[in-house]
Amino acid sequence: MTSAAEAEILHTVLDRWKSAVDAHDPKRVASYFTDEAIFQGLHPYGVGPESVAEYYDSQPIGMTAAYNILETRRMADDLVLGYLHVDFTFTDRPVVTVNLCVLARRVGDDWLIDHYQVSRLP
């Protein structure tokens, strides 16, 4: 069951992520991840912001993301789990639709992505 408080936390985190993805700003995308973040896009996984920046730097300019939060769970006071549907749109190829599971962690007064895992279903 998705609650308004958890959805608001995820929207805050994911709106920043989306803005940086849409702007093709890999370093800014990476700044929204914790130092220990496990990141699994559609390529081999990596750990930490540097691997996130490398992944998004390899994405084509003009790629944008549109997401819809399907479910949320409060795992602990400082952890919110989200399950999303994401469409990545490109200028020169069909849309890539994925399911995304993210774990947002409160770090100080901010929320950052601590785990990011994409799955692509046929």
Side-chain angles (χ1 to χ4, degrees), residues 69-85:
I69 296 172
L70 302 173
E71 294 287 336
T72 65
R73 299 288 186 274
R74 176 72 69 142
M75 307 305 286
D77 288 344
D78 65 342
L79 292 174
V80 174
L81 177 73
Y83 182 66
L84 305 90
H85 176 94

Side-chain angles (χ1 to χ4, degrees), residues 14-102:
L14 294 167
D15 285 352
R16 294 184 308 187
W17 165 82
K18 176 190 173 3
S19 172
V21 168
D22 292 357
H24 192 74
D25 189 342
K27 289 184 181 184
R28 186 162 52 108
V29 173
S31 74
Y32 303 131
F33 286 74
T34 67
D35 291 340
E36 306 83 25
I38 298 171
F39 180 85
Q40 176 66 63
L42 293 175
H43 304 293
Y45 87 97
V47 176
E50 185 175 314
S51 66
V52 174
E54 288 173 10
Y55 180 86
Y56 281 105
D57 192 42
S58 74
Q59 299 305 312
I61 293 174
M63 181 186 82
T64 60
Y67 72 88
N68 182 34
I69 296 172
L70 302 173
E71 294 287 336
T72 65
R73 299 288 186 274
R74 176 72 69 142
M75 307 305 286
D77 288 344
D78 65 342
L79 292 174
V80 174
L81 177 73
Y83 182 66
L84 305 90
H85 176 94
V86 182
D87 287 330
F88 289 99
T89 302
F90 303 87
T91 59
D92 62 347
R93 60 181 121 161
V95 172
V96 173
T97 300
V98 300
N99 294 313
L100 172 62
C101 184
V102 294

